[in-house]
Every structure is written in C-alpha cells, then in structure tokens.
Amino acid sequence: MSKQVLKRNSVARAADAMYHDMLSPEETKAIRSEVRGFAETHVRRLARQIGEADESVDTFAFDLYRRMGDEGLFAIPFARADGGRGLAHRVSATAATVEELAYFSNSVAAVYDVNCILAGRTLERASDELRETYLHPLVRGEKIGAFATTEPEASTDLSRKALKTFATLKNGIYTVTGHKRWITNAPVADFVTMLCDSDDGLVELLIDLNAPGVRVGAPDRKLGNRGQLTGDIYLEGVEVPESHRIGVPGEGLRIALQTLTYGRIGIAATGVGMAQACFDEALAHLKTRHVFGKPIGANQHWQFKMAERACHLENARNLYLKAALRMDQGVEFPEPEAAMAKFYGTELAVDMARDAIQAMGGYGFMRSLSHDDHHNPAETHYRDAKIAEIYEGANEIQRMVIARTLFGKELTG
C-alpha cells in the first residue's frame, strides 16, 4: 500500500471534535454511527473506482447496492409495515445516512437518495398491492427504483403546459406516450414513479420498465457522479393499469413536489458530506505540507479560510437536520428550512472542494499521479458537487422559495 493511501486512511474527521450535535435524536445518532461504519468498510474502497469509471450498466455498483439491502440500509427510511425499521425520526435518520455515504461517494449517496427518498417515498402512498410488489423488494435491495419528472423541455417548470408525457385513461388502462430525461437509476432500474399529464390533471404513475413500449436509453456521460447512472426513458403507447396510479387524479404535482422537498433535504445532506470530506483532506494537508520551512497551515490566510468553512459546515448540518426534524414532525413542506438547507449545503460543497484543491495544489488536482498513482478525493468531489446545485430544484429556485416566504406570493409571483 502506498504512503499516499496510508495518509488517506489516517485523515481525521474534524466534525468529531468541532460539531456538537444538539439536534439529532439518539436513534439518528445511532444510525449515523452505523452507516459511517458501513461506509468506512464498504464504500471507501470502491469510491475512487466509482468516481472515475465511465458510465455503463456494467460499471454500476450492483454488489454494493445489494450489500446495502442485506445490511438494512434501505430499511432506514421506511415503516415496519413496509419492511423498514419503523424509526420515529425517519427523515433525520435518512438524511444522516446520505451524508455519511456522500463523505466517500456522492454517486452512492445519490443512488440511495433516488431509490429511497424519491421512488420509495412516492411508493409509500401507493396501494398495498403495489407496495408489496415494488416497495418491499426495494427495501430488501432486490429491486431498484427511479423517479421521473424531468423532460427534454420541462424540468424547473412542471406545469401541465410544460409537460408533454401524456396518459390517456380508458377502460381502466392508462396509455402513456412521452419522453423523460436525466432519470437517475433508469438504466438499471426495475420501475419508475412518473409524473404525467392526463385529461384529469397531472397524475403519478408507477411504470414497470420491462413493460412493452418502454425503452431506456444508454447511460449519459457526465462531468461527475459517474456512478449515478442517468438516462432517457421513452414511452410509446405503454399500457399501465389504473391501479398503478399513486394518489387521485390531479394530485400528481403535489405528490411530486412533496417528494422533491424531502429529496432536497437529502441533497443538502450530501452536500455536507462532500464538504466535510474536502475539509478534512485540506486540513490534514495544511498541517503536514511544509512550504518555506513551515506548514502551509501556519499562514493566517488558510487559518481564517478554514475557520470560516468550519462555521459554514456547522450551519449547513444544522439546517438540514432542522428541516428533517420538521418533516419528522409531520410538516409536509418544511420551508424555508428545506430550501435554505439545499442551496446552502450544496454551494458549500462546491466552494469547499475548490478551496481544498487550492490548498493542496497539484496534489489536489491529480486524478492519478504517474509516480505513485496518488489520487485525492477532493478531485472527485469537485466534479460530483456541481450537480448538487442543479438537480432536485436548482438553487435559484430555492432562493425563490425563501423570497416567497419573506415577501409573499402576491409580490414574488
């Protein structure tokens, strides 16, 4: 094992000394500890491979996915009736889970987020039959779920005017034709929960991806999050039983938005995970790398910069936990905290990754150093973090949500 790898394994987590968690319930703290142990053992060793591989079905981390199912990680967000753990604070425990996964791999955290928070949460509203067929196997790690709202011309705007995927109901069967884009897990998923327009308003449908008329495109090739496969879903006259509708006609948008609000809490937590990882890497380097006869960290510039980032990490973690706890209390749309947490945590991830690379200079920028195959995780996090500012509600939209709370909808529109 190279010295660089040994150094990576010895990097301390600054949050253990700096962050005093006064918000999380004891069961959430226990889940965090459990998931951290899992991530240290199973995610860490695969993180570089996942972060650097070209997107393909063959490179998807199926073994890791199944292990997460076997060890009960997918059960954390769900009630006992659905095979879950039945936690009293499911949202905060789930958010802590994705933070710990994202510390090593945002791709793994994003797959978990979509599988459990988006597809799984939507399925919680479905019939007993659908939950038995799709949700329960998801919890066990036997099926993979996807969640589809975005289309080539509709993403931020999910109005009926923007959506083109249409479901026509006749004799108890929806016939669906349309095109969804950038759908996480689609190339490897078994099913998708999908927002469609219909004569009765927007509807949320569960569509089996093996159904006739469904075609899933090849995985997209992205800047980062390469282990989080995305692809287009094409639907040509796909027949979906009316019993696969989740909720009542016209309720589809509300279901999707409520699910996405939960998702934003999860994405905020992934931002914190990536930011913390980059902070820890930078701090270790600043303490040990010498320039002009002294550690780089002896320079006041870096002392002040890291002090500021430590404050930002404190605030970001508190924000997502507060939003999660409000949702645990039954608040369907915990605003403005969810919006605040999402834009603050994800922008911090990008900023901290950039700072870490700057602090580590050439070593931070290396994907692979030819001399000893040195690789710094900040390079992967820098590529992965950018999408967190964009997906599950672009950060500009989060600012609009907060502004609407401040000024009122009659003024902001």
Side-chain angles (χ1 to χ4, degrees):
M1 184 178 289
S2 72
K3 291 182 180 180
Q4 292 292 351
V5 174
L6 287 172
K7 179 181 176 183
R8 166 60 181 157
N9 287 345
S10 65
V11 168
R13 296 203 185 205
D16 290 345
M18 294 291 292
Y19 184 73
H20 304 105
D21 188 353
M22 307 296 289
L23 293 177
S24 295
E26 288 304 316
E27 69 174 7
T28 298
K29 293 178 182 178
I31 290 293
R32 181 184 292 280
S33 178
E34 175 190 342
V35 177
R36 179 175 296 188
F38 178 92
E40 291 274 0
T41 302
H42 301 295
V43 181
R44 180 211 298 264
R45 63 185 175 82
L46 296 173
R48 180 179 176 184
Q49 175 185 331
I50 291 171
E52 293 186 355
D54 285 335
E55 291 95 334
S56 74
V57 172
D58 290 338
T59 61
F60 184 76
F62 285 107
D63 289 344
L64 179 61
Y65 182 91
R66 296 187 187 100
R67 184 177 289 274
M68 286 194 284
D70 291 342
E71 300 205 12
L73 267 66
F74 295 138
I76 290 168
F78 300 107
R80 288 194 184 279
D82 289 317
R85 300 197 185 188
L87 300 176
H89 303 88
R90 294 188 285 156
V91 179
S92 58
T94 302
T97 295
V98 293
E99 181 192 339
E100 294 299 328
L101 295 174
Y103 187 89
F104 291 111
S105 173
N106 195 52
S107 288
V108 173
V111 169
Y112 186 99
D113 175 273
V114 171
N115 195 57
C116 292
I117 296 180
L118 300 188
R121 179 72 164 205
T122 305
L123 269 178
E124 284 191 303
R125 300 170 178 264
S127 66
D128 291 345
E129 179 184 355
L130 286 185
R131 296 205 314 276
E132 177 68 30
T133 304
Y134 294 95
L135 179 56
H136 296 184
L138 178 151
V139 172
R140 296 191 296 266
E142 297 166 1
K143 285 186 183 291
I144 300 175
F147 175 86
T149 55
T150 302
E151 299 181 359
E153 302 300 328
S155 182
T156 298
D157 182 0
L158 296 177
S159 66
R160 295 186 70 186
K161 183 178 180 180
L163 285 176
K164 304 303 180 187
T165 300
F166 200 88
T168 302
L169 179 62
K170 184 177 181 181
N171 298 327
I173 299 290
Y174 281 104
T175 302
V176 184
T177 295
H179 181 185
K180 295 292 184 179
R181 173 153 289 171
W182 297 316
I183 306 306
T184 293
N185 293 346
V188 293
D190 299 283
F191 68 89
V192 61
T193 57
M194 182 178 294
L195 185 65
C196 307
D197 194 11
S198 77
D199 291 327
D200 298 316
L202 295 177
V203 293
E204 190 78 32
L205 299 178
L206 185 145
I207 299 176
D208 194 301
L209 292 177
N210 293 310
V214 177
R215 180 171 65 88
V216 177
D220 303 313
R221 300 183 68 188
K222 309 183 300 298
L223 171 69
N225 265 27
R226 294 178 180 176
Q228 173 206 9
L229 301 185
T230 66
D232 286 20
I233 300 177
Y234 307 88
L235 307 107
E236 286 291 339
V238 180
E239 294 188 351
V240 180
E242 188 177 8
S243 61
H244 281 214
R245 187 185 65 233
I246 300 169
V248 300
E251 193 184 15
L253 183 60
R254 183 176 183 85
I255 293 173
L257 292 179
Q258 194 277 337
T259 301
L260 286 167
T261 300
Y262 186 2
R264 287 164 187 164
I265 297 171
I267 297 304
T270 69
V272 174
M274 288 185 283
Q276 187 69 64
C278 292
F279 183 95
D280 293 347
E281 293 289 344
L283 187 62
H285 187 87
L286 291 168
K287 287 180 176 180
T288 56
R289 176 74 169 177
H290 284 67
V291 174
F292 301 120
K294 62 181 181 180
I296 299 174
N299 293 286
Q300 194 175 69
H301 166 80
W302 285 110
Q303 294 172 11
F304 282 10
K305 173 66 73 174
M306 295 298 280
E308 291 171 3
R309 292 301 185 215
C311 293
H312 297 158
L313 276 163
E314 173 85 12
N315 292 336
R317 189 174 284 111
N318 287 340
L319 271 172
Y320 90 63
L321 281 170
K322 186 178 179 183
L325 289 169
R326 288 194 68 208
M327 187 169 274
D328 277 328
Q329 292 173 348
V331 179
E332 191 174 23
F333 294 95
E335 301 296 1
E337 290 88 354
M340 288 178 170
K342 199 274 182 183
F343 94 72
Y344 193 89
T346 58
E347 290 186 7
L348 175 60
V350 174
D351 291 343
M352 188 62 244
R354 183 185 63 246
D355 289 346
I357 289 173
Q358 188 69 23
M360 291 182 282
Y363 287 104
F365 191 69
M366 285 298 104
R367 184 162 63 92
S368 178
L369 186 66
S370 63
H371 171 68
D372 58 4
D373 197 33
H374 165 79
H375 168 79
N376 196 294
E379 181 271 339
T380 303
H381 285 310
Y382 195 30
R383 290 186 287 105
D384 288 354
K386 183 58 197 173
I387 188 59
E389 295 183 300
I390 298 169
Y391 62 12
E392 295 194 34
N395 284 0
E396 290 79 6
I397 297 299
Q398 308 315 311
R399 286 173 167 82
M400 288 174 60
V401 171
I402 299 165
R404 185 176 294 167
T405 305
L406 291 170
F407 291 98
K409 191 174 182 179
E410 65 279 2
L411 184 61
T412 60

